[in-house]
Amino acid sequence: MACTTSLPLTPLSTTPRPDPRFRTPSIIEPVTDLETRAAPPVAPSLRRAAPALLGYAAVRALGLLTLALWSAARDKSAYTLLTARWDALWYTRVAELGYGYEVRLPNGDVHSNLAFFPLLPWLERLLAAATPLSYADAGFAVALLASVAAAWGIFAVADHVHGRRAGVCAVLVWAVLPVGIVQSMAYSESLFTALAAWSLYAVLTGRWVTAGTLALLAGLTRPVGLAVVAAVWAAAVASYVRERGPARPDGAHPEERAPSARRALGMLLAPLGAAGYVLWVGHHTGKGPLGYLDVQAGWRNGFDGGQAFARFVADKFTSFPSALAGVGLIVGVGLLVWLYVVCVRQRQPLPLLVYAGIVTALALCASSYFGSKPRLLMPAFPLLLPLALALARLRTPRSAVVLGTIAVASSLYGAFWLNGSGPP
């Protein structure tokens, strides 16, 4: 992903702006609409992101150490929990055997590995072929590298929109999420978040072809890759509308905007990954363009507008102990809605709002296993920017205490979670 910061930039606006490398960290400057700033070269950008990446590595190391100690106390293998259970096993089977494996359950449901998008298994197979690593080892290595790339991408986006201090806080808030341990599992969440974050950063800095290419790869990683595609398209359409508008009061003229050919190419590339895989599944199953929906139906996955989730929450109120969980779920959903409203009020750039809104809607309104919803929400990192801004306004010792306390709690919860029901 680092290569995205070295490509030439044709900005949407020629209005001179301060070099972001020399902004005072304590000053928080929102970027509204589709205004763009030139991205710094790769090396300075990495140095600028170093505090965020070091903090992220420390949080993840704490989580893995806590998991190892907790698992050892229960005579379990922490490494097995991270690499060879639940979805990690399905990805490994795809990498090793290809598509076509399925499990028929006694109730008639069919769990097919066609439900799992191919980019992570492809990377596992490639790394296993080039190194002595097994497919499971390769999945773990990809997850670790992708999680760092995701943290860097989140920093790049938050730094571009709100400044360096908020960028560091955004990465650390993402790291200390209660389900943050998933970032270190051989799952596709870290890989997808990395591709999504860097695609959004490319949009914000006017790199349309890069944005479209990364959106294509995100679409090969998870079904929610459609959110990245929608963000690229929304930004491109808004750019086109602005381009056709009158000259701005500062004298800038429409001709200074990004070349339409690059923008069109980015829009063309963006949906090819998701569309290509879905169409291939339809052809492979002989069920046409909607064949992938049948595959998901075999897993009892689908989009019902949140009806199943609402019934799940309502059922919690049938007894007193579970009613507390129901209240917690309602509060959690309310918090997500509130964060999104704050994002709108803080005038986050359009692509971030589109992306976060679609990821959140798909996670909450899907009829899939309800325990997976926190994991499915993890890529919606723009929702964390209001929290990052609040932390950025605190003095460093105070924000360090807050984040450190949450990091310890998150590591304990992650160890407890994986040694219990764990993520599906």
Side-chain angles (χ1 to χ4, degrees):
M1 298 307 153
C3 63
T4 62
T5 59
S6 62
L7 298 177
L9 169 66
T10 305
L12 295 180
S13 173
T14 56
T15 304
R17 284 188 169 275
D19 190 329
R21 290 172 290 176
F22 301 104
R23 284 181 293 160
T24 304
S26 61
I27 297 177
I28 300 171
E29 301 172 340
V31 176
T32 59
D33 301 324
L34 288 178
E35 295 178 354
T36 59
R37 283 196 288 264
V42 173
S45 179
L46 182 56
R47 288 199 298 270
R48 187 175 177 84
L53 299 182
L54 291 173
Y56 178 78
V59 173
R60 288 273 46 82
L62 175 63
L64 292 174
L65 176 61
T66 304
L67 175 65
L69 295 175
W70 192 299
S71 301
R74 295 174 59 88
D75 293 326
K76 291 185 178 181
S77 167
Y79 190 70
T80 299
L81 294 175
L82 294 169
T83 63
R85 292 188 67 185
W86 304 296
D87 289 7
L89 279 176
W90 287 90
Y91 284 118
T92 299
R93 290 191 185 107
V94 173
E96 182 178 5
L97 304 173
Y99 286 106
Y101 176 82
E102 62 182 29
V103 175
R104 294 185 177 273
L105 304 183
N107 65 356
D109 290 344
V110 178
H111 288 184
S112 169
N113 65 0
L114 291 169
F116 297 88
F117 276 50
L119 186 58
L120 177 57
W122 286 348
L123 293 176
E124 290 178 347
R125 180 179 296 179
L126 179 64
L127 189 57
T131 67
L133 297 177
S134 67
Y135 293 113
D137 296 336
F140 184 61
V142 170
L144 291 183
L145 294 174
S147 67
V148 175
W152 189 4
I154 292 170
F155 170 83
V157 170
D159 178 29
H160 182 86
V161 176
H162 293 301
R164 186 185 189 189
R165 188 176 177 87
V168 173
C169 291
V171 170
L172 294 178
V173 171
W174 189 67
V176 302
L177 289 174
V179 294
I181 190 64
V182 175
Q183 297 163 17
S184 301
M185 297 182 67
Y187 272 42
S188 60
E189 273 75 13
S190 290
L191 178 61
F192 174 78
T193 305
L195 294 168
W198 283 108
S199 179
L200 292 170
Y201 179 68
V203 168
L204 294 176
T205 53
R207 295 179 169 93
W208 295 106
V209 176
T210 301
T213 301
L214 293 171
L216 182 156
L217 294 174
L220 286 171
T221 307
R222 296 187 63 81
V224 76
L226 294 174
V228 189
V229 177
V232 172
W233 274 60
V237 171
S239 173
Y240 177 81
V241 171
R242 288 161 58 92
E243 183 178 286
R244 296 300 177 184
R248 299 203 308 260
D250 59 12
H253 199 269
E255 280 81 30
E256 45 86 63
R257 273 86 173 202
S260 58
R262 291 188 179 184
R263 183 177 56 212
L265 180 56
M267 294 178 70
L268 176 65
L269 289 171
L272 294 183
Y277 181 68
V278 168
L279 292 175
W280 178 82
V281 170
H283 173 75
H284 183 78
T285 59
K287 296 183 179 180
L290 300 181
Y292 183 77
L293 298 180
D294 290 337
V295 172
Q296 287 284 12
W299 286 80
R300 300 280 177 112
N301 290 337
F303 187 87
D304 63 359
Q307 296 179 37
F309 184 47
R311 289 194 297 269
F312 175 77
V313 174
D315 289 342
K316 294 294 182 181
F317 291 92
T318 57
S319 63
F320 174 73
S322 63
L324 297 177
V327 172
L329 290 171
I330 293 175
V331 171
V333 172
L335 177 61
L336 291 173
V337 174
W338 176 76
L339 285 174
Y340 189 79
V341 171
V342 174
C343 290
V344 173
R345 289 179 175 175
Q346 291 179 347
R347 300 182 66 190
Q348 279 191 16
L350 177 64
L352 300 188
L353 294 175
V354 171
Y355 168 76
I358 294 178
V359 172
T360 303
L362 290 177
L364 294 180
C365 297
S367 59
S368 56
Y369 177 64
F370 304 110
S372 66
K373 291 191 181 296
R375 172 173 64 88
L376 299 179
L377 286 164
M378 194 170 62
F381 68 89
L383 294 180
L384 304 177
L385 295 189
L387 301 178
L389 276 172
L391 285 169
R393 295 187 177 107
L394 299 177
R395 294 182 179 274
T396 300
R398 183 172 297 180
S399 60
V401 169
V402 172
L403 288 168
T405 302
I406 299 175
V408 171
S410 174
S411 66
L412 291 171
Y413 178 76
F416 167 78
W417 192 42
L418 286 196
N419 278 275
S421 60

